[in-house]
């Protein structure tokens, strides 16, 4: 079945941008990365679009991180999300606080743990997660279990004051 | 069944366990209170973790965010080699082609041709916006070309006019657009579009002024020669910014072409090799080369040698000539 760019875009672009935005905290960067992933898909159409697109995008994030170009962006994560974000379930100032705390907690996770949580939140199945992250299918459960645990721990460790690691 | 590991419990909670494995797990849990506790603890952790991630929220929505943008509609055919062109090719907004004869480049006569550091206009963001963005120039003495007012409307070929799913699926050649000033220019533009496989907007230019403005007030020229052709191409970055790439064509005494391409560098443009990609795209389009980035595959009439560098002012320059490395180095030294 040939790769239908427009259809893939309609199906996955929003989800990809959201995942990248949650990953990087930067709306523009998320859009750029998503655009780049789709452009590459247009140039070499993938067989399995969703894992491919997300894998490409996550690799791009990792590469940029490795090049150290984006270190300063992390500081942005500590500032209030403000108009960039549409509120999650909670409301008000507490919500902004919470978002900031979750972001800080996420920073403590290894790349893979962070990514697996974000992919799960986008509705990826274990098979899709395995394909996207290059994991064995049997390893997805344990990785998720660990990642969830670490996120919750990192979140609560911040309780009672700013995280020392910031 | 032996005590399940954490991964198995997680699979159960995420509904990913196969039927028989799930049955085995149920059986074990029925008989093992310790594992029942572990399952409940895992359930709580999972719920909290998922809540936390959900608390991150969504980015603010943008209108029509799920429609394939024009920049991706005109994605290149599969098999085109360089990955940078995947965005670069889709975004050419304006090409100016000028045939200048004797009036071009004679710097004494070119009253408004500044060198580096002596801009005719203060470099500004407006100067680097794509012409179609509405920055209509005020009339300038000596400049024959004007941005065509309706260029903005014809900027993008109306692929939506094509039936149904074909519109998005067509990595199609766009119909030539643009109101060229003369038939020969139109012809050239049409040919180029056919070869390049995407829409170009032709804006005839017979002076360096548009190029200088496009670059933000300065231009690098090859000393001692007069440019016979100036091309300005706008590339839109994925971020939405636009960058101008100016290509000057000279002829050496023997009549061989020398091409100098320049653009202001940005980290993103550098990373994607913008100026180089533009050149390679044209080369490959003319050479009909399907291979990967192979610098040795060029059409016979294009210069063979290439040298590329970034100057002190932050411009990426690419010089192409039928010359060996020494001659290229000498040529490079004459770029000011």
């Amino acid at each position: 079945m040939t790769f239908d760019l427009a259809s893939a875009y309609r199906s996955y672009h929003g989800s990809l941008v959201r995942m990248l935005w949650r990953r990087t905290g930067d709306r523009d960067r998320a859009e750029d990365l998503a655009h780049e992933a789709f452009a590459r898909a247009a140039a070499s159409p993938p067989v399995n679009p969703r894992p491919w697109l997300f894998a490409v995008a996550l690799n791009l994030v990792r590469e940029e991180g490795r090049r150290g170009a984006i270190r300063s962006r992390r500081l942005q994560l500590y500032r209030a999300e403000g108009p960039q974000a549409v509120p999650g379930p909670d409301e008000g100032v507490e919500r902004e606080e919470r978002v900031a705390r979750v972001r800080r907690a996420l920073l403590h996770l290894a790349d893979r743990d962070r990514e697996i949580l974000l992919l799960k939140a986008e509705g990826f199945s274990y098979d899709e997660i395995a394909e996207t992250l290059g994991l064995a299918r049997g390893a997805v459960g344990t990785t998720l279990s660990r990642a969830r645990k670490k996120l919750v721990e990192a979140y609560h460790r911040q309780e009672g004051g700013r995280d020392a690691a910031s | 069944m032996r005590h399940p590991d954490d991964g198995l419990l997680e699979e159960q909670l995420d509904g990913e366990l196969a039927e028989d494995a799930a049955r085995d797990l149920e059986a074990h849990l029925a008989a093992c209170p310790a594992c029942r506790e572990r399952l409940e603890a895992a359930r709580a952790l999972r719920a909290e973790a998922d809540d936390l991630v959900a608390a991150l929220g969504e980015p603010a929505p943008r209108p029509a965010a799920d429609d394939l943008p024009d920049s991706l509609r005109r994605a290149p055919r599969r098999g085109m080699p360089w990955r940078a062109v995947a965005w670069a090719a889709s975004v050419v907004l304006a090409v100016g082609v000028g045939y200048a004869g004797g009036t071009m480049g004679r710097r004494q006569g070119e009253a408004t041709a500044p060198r580096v550091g002596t801009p005719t206009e203060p470099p500004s963001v407006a100067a680097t916006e794509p012409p179609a963005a509405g920055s209509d120039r005020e009339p300038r003495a000596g400049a024959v070309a004007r941005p065509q007012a309706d260029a903005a409307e014809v900027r993008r070929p109306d692929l939506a006019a094509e039936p149904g799913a074909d519109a998005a699926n067509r990595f199609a050649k766009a119909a030539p657009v643009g109101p060229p000033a003369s038939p020969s220019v139109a012809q050239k533009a049409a040919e180029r579009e056919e070869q390049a496989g995407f829409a170009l907007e032709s804006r005839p230019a017979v002076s360096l002024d548009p190029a200088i403005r496009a670059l933000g007030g300065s231009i690098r020229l090859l000393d001692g020669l007069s440019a016979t052709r100036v091309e300005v191409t706008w590339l839109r970055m994925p971020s939405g910014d636009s960058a101008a790439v100016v290509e000057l064509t000279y002829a050496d005494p023997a009549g061989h072409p020398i091409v100098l391409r320049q653009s202001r560098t940005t980290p993103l443009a550098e990373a994607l090799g913008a100026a180089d990609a533009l050149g390679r795209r044209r080369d490959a389009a003319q050479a009909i080369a399907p291979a990967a980035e192979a610098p040795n595959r060029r059409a016979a009439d294009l210069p063979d040698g290439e040298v590329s560098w970034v100057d002190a002012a932050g411009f990426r320059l690419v010089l192409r000539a039928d010359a060996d490395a020494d001659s290229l180095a000498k040529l490079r030294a004459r770029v000011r």
Side-chain angles (χ1 to χ4, degrees), chain B residues 7-31:
Chain B
L8 199 72
L9 294 179
E10 210 71 20
E11 281 200 56
Q12 164 73 343
L13 292 170
D14 283 326
E16 295 268 354
L17 259 193
E19 246 191 71
D20 40 0
R23 264 201 307 271
D24 290 345
L25 180 60
E26 290 294 316
H28 176 92
L29 290 174

Side-chain angles (χ1 to χ4, degrees), chain A residues 120 126 137 140-142 144-145 148, chain B residues 1 4-30 35-36 38-40 42-43 46:
Chain A
K120 195 73 188 72
Y126 275 31
R137 167 67 171 74
V140 175
T142 37
L144 255 179
S145 161
R148 281 164 166 155
Chain B
M1 178 196 218
D5 66 13
D6 289 342
L8 199 72
L9 294 179
E10 210 71 20
E11 281 200 56
Q12 164 73 343
L13 292 170
D14 283 326
E16 295 268 354
L17 259 193
E19 246 191 71
D20 40 0
R23 264 201 307 271
D24 290 345
L25 180 60
E26 290 294 316
H28 176 92
L29 290 174
C35 284
R36 281 203 297 274
R38 285 175 59 217
L39 181 67
E40 289 319 303
R43 195 191 303 276
R46 174 178 178 275

Side-chain angles (χ1 to χ4, degrees), chain B residues 220-280:
Chain B
R220 279 126 285 276
L221 301 168
L222 192 58
D223 234 5
L225 288 179
S226 302
T228 58
R229 197 160 98 203
V230 179
E231 266 189 47
V232 179
T233 308
W234 290 95
L235 305 178
R236 184 182 297 284
M237 304 288 169
S239 60
D241 301 323
S242 297
V245 180
V246 169
E247 190 170 278
L248 299 162
T249 305
Y250 299 87
D252 75 356
H256 299 306
I258 300 172
V259 175
L260 176 64
R261 196 178 305 127
Q262 58 191 288
S263 62
R264 194 184 289 276
T265 64
T266 64
L268 183 62
E270 281 296 290
L272 296 172
D276 300 344
L278 177 66
R280 276 195 270 275

Side-chain angles (χ1 to χ4, degrees), chain B residues 114-128:
Chain B
R115 307 286 229 112
V116 176
T118 60
T120 53
E121 287 172 22
S124 68
V125 174
T128 59

Side-chain angles (χ1 to χ4, degrees), chain A residues 3-6 9-10 13-14 17-18 21-22 27-28 31-32 35-36 38-40 42-45 83-89 98-99 102-103 106 117-118 120-121 124-127 137-138 141-142 144-145 148-149 151-152 155-156, chain B residues 5-8 10-12 14 16-17 45-46 48-62 64-69 71-73 75-80 82-83 86-87 90 165 168-169 171 238-240 268 271-272:
Chain A
F3 172 62
D4 183 332
L5 180 65
Y9 195 90
R10 271 193 303 276
H13 178 257
V17 169
R18 177 174 57 225
W21 174 76
R22 287 173 168 182
R27 173 69 200 249
D28 290 333
E31 298 265 12
D32 285 356
H35 189 286
E36 177 64 24
F38 276 96
R40 293 187 190 203
S44 12
Q84 263 193 50
V86 167
R98 197 156 136 90
V99 169
V102 177
R103 285 207 183 282
L106 272 177
L117 290 174
L118 294 179
K120 195 73 188 72
F124 276 50
S125 70
Y126 275 31
D127 282 327
R137 167 67 171 74
T142 37
L144 255 179
S145 161
R148 281 164 166 155
K149 187 153 167 257
L151 176 64
V152 171
Y155 181 81
H156 287 297
Chain B
D5 66 13
D6 289 342
L8 199 72
E10 210 71 20
E11 281 200 56
Q12 164 73 343
D14 283 326
E16 295 268 354
L17 259 193
L45 255 182
R46 174 178 178 275
E48 186 173 3
D50 288 357
D51 276 351
L52 290 177
V53 174
L56 288 171
E58 315 254 332
R62 300 234 169 113
D66 288 338
D67 291 331
L68 192 66
S71 59
L72 285 170
R73 257 179 225 281
R77 235 175 264 284
R78 187 187 181 167
M80 283 225 170
W82 51 92
R83 66 157 179 82
W87 60 265
S90 65
N169 262 343
F171 304 128
S239 60
L268 183 62
L272 296 172

Side-chain angles (χ1 to χ4, degrees), chain A:
Chain A
M1 179 160 148
T2 49
F3 172 62
D4 183 332
L5 180 65
S7 163
Y9 195 90
R10 271 193 303 276
S11 304
Y12 308 132
H13 178 257
S15 165
L16 181 58
V17 169
R18 177 174 57 225
M19 189 279 290
L20 287 169
W21 174 76
R22 287 173 168 182
R23 172 70 183 80
T24 64
D26 184 333
R27 173 69 200 249
D28 290 333
R29 190 168 159 224
E31 298 265 12
D32 285 356
L33 292 166
H35 189 286
E36 177 64 24
F38 276 96
R40 293 187 190 203
S44 12
V47 172
N48 204 349
R50 181 153 88 147
W52 193 92
L53 287 164
F54 279 69
V56 165
L58 287 172
N59 285 341
L60 287 172
V61 175
R62 287 206 200 191
E63 274 172 30
E64 285 183 344
R66 228 177 282 133
R67 270 189 257 123
I70 317 296
R71 220 164 290 279
S72 62
R73 285 183 201 264
R74 293 201 163 173
L75 298 176
Q76 293 180 23
L77 295 181
Y78 296 118
R79 304 199 185 101
E81 279 297 310
Q84 263 193 50
V86 167
D90 306 345
E91 304 229 48
V93 180
E94 287 124 8
R95 190 244 324 149
E96 288 191 12
E97 274 289 305
R98 197 156 136 90
V99 169
R101 282 177 67 188
V102 177
R103 285 207 183 282
R104 281 198 296 270
L106 272 177
L107 287 181
H108 286 291
L109 267 52
D111 277 351
R112 169 152 298 162
D113 291 345
R114 192 164 37 225
E115 291 165 2
I116 201 172
L117 290 174
L118 294 179
L119 291 178
K120 195 73 188 72
E122 294 303 321
F124 276 50
S125 70
Y126 275 31
D127 282 327
E128 287 175 312
I129 288 174
E131 191 174 338
T132 306
L133 295 181
L135 290 176
R137 167 67 171 74
V140 175
T142 37
T143 309
L144 255 179
S145 161
R146 184 184 67 226
R148 281 164 166 155
K149 187 153 167 257
K150 293 209 166 168
L151 176 64
V152 171
E153 282 172 0
Y155 181 81
H156 287 297
R157 245 187 285 129
Q158 297 174 56
E159 210 112 52
R162 293 245 146 199
D163 192 346
S166 69

